[in-house]
Amino acid sequence: MATGRHRYRFVDGEPRDGLKCSKCHLVLCDPQQATCCAKRFCKSCLDQMEDKRCPSCREPINCFRDGGINREIMGLKVYCTNSEEGCEWQGTINETDDTSIDTHLNTCPYQLVPCTNGCGEKIRRNSLKTHLTDNCLERMVNCQYCNQRGRYQLITSSSHFDECPDLPIQCSNEGCNMIPRRHSQSLHNETCPKAIIPCAYNTVGCNKVMKREEQEKHNEDSITAHLQLTKKQLGKL
Ligand SMILES: [Zn+2]
Ligand SMILES: [Zn+2]
Ligand SMILES: [Zn+2]
Ligand SMILES: [Zn+2]
Ligand SMILES: [Zn+2]
Ligand SMILES: [Zn+2]
Ligand SMILES: [Zn+2]
């Protein structure tokens, strides 16, 4: 039993001092009474003492369990420790009772519980469902582009986007507004009107480079030049 376990808000106001530990000043947890000075201490507070002397009068300590006080404490009415979150439960701290706060906290909708997906977060029991479907970083999702299934954290990470075959990527050719999927990027580039290409007559010696869409106009403008280059080339044969 841990020290300070009885850190509760009491329905009928602060319990009387006689129900509190003379060491930790919280409501006694498994109360022990010292024979030296009749002060009471939690069992856990005594267990933590190293010198085995009474914390109150410094005599070598000798204690007996105070069953009467314990019964009184077990009967104290407490609010749920999640009352500030909205839980309206009231009950006792009687550990052996079904109506005790320990039993209640196992089902209290406001109790913080670890995510059952193992993401490491603690969530109020009543929002666990939403967390698992909408927020958990470890929930299973499909990539919105390639539909690959995996943990949210991975599927939305840059390492997936770096290899996602269907990720839309803006064409890098200046002036092109197309956003082809990654897998069709090179296909697009072969027809992209804004791609920089060498003149179709480069094989006969035209050194002009231009956007693909300008080829036609260039051909019209360069009929003579292209013809001469072609003749020259033929002459070499
Ligand atoms: Zn104590
Ligand atoms: Zn004492
Ligand atoms: Zn509760
Ligand atoms: Zn989670
Ligand atoms: Zn993907
Ligand atoms: Zn393009
Ligand atoms: Zn040309």
Side-chain angles (χ1 to χ4, degrees), residues 9 79-89 108 110 124:
R9 222 154 59 75
Y79 293 105
C80 175
T81 43
N82 300 312
S83 62
E84 280 175 15
E85 317 301 329
C87 185
E88 293 177 350
W89 181 92
C108 173
Y110 298 91
R124 304 223 174 266

Side-chain angles (χ1 to χ4, degrees), residues 219-230:
N219 285 350
E220 285 167 16
D221 292 349
S222 318
I223 293 176
T224 323
H226 284 162
L227 201 62
Q228 277 172 359
L229 284 167
T230 312

Side-chain angles (χ1 to χ4, degrees), residues 16-32:
R16 63 185 178 89
D17 283 348
L19 302 184
K20 293 182 182 174
C21 170
S22 293
K23 184 149 184 276
C24 70
H25 306 293
L26 294 167
V27 168
L28 286 152
C29 221
D30 196 359
Q32 312 286 316

Side-chain angles (χ1 to χ4, degrees), residues 59-86:
E59 290 291 315
I61 197 143
N62 201 355
C63 284
F64 63 92
R65 187 160 186 282
D66 195 333
I69 287 289
N70 194 47
R71 267 191 300 283
E72 195 176 332
I73 289 169
M74 288 299 133
L76 291 173
K77 292 198 79 182
V78 293
Y79 293 105
C80 175
T81 43
N82 300 312
S83 62
E84 280 175 15
E85 317 301 329

Side-chain angles (χ1 to χ4, degrees), residues 119-136:
C119 74
E121 261 197 78
K122 285 193 162 191
I123 305 100
R124 304 223 174 266
R125 185 174 277 121
N126 58 4
S127 39
L128 182 60
K129 241 189 195 145
T130 324
H131 168 79
L132 290 176
T133 53
D134 297 350
N135 302 319
C136 181

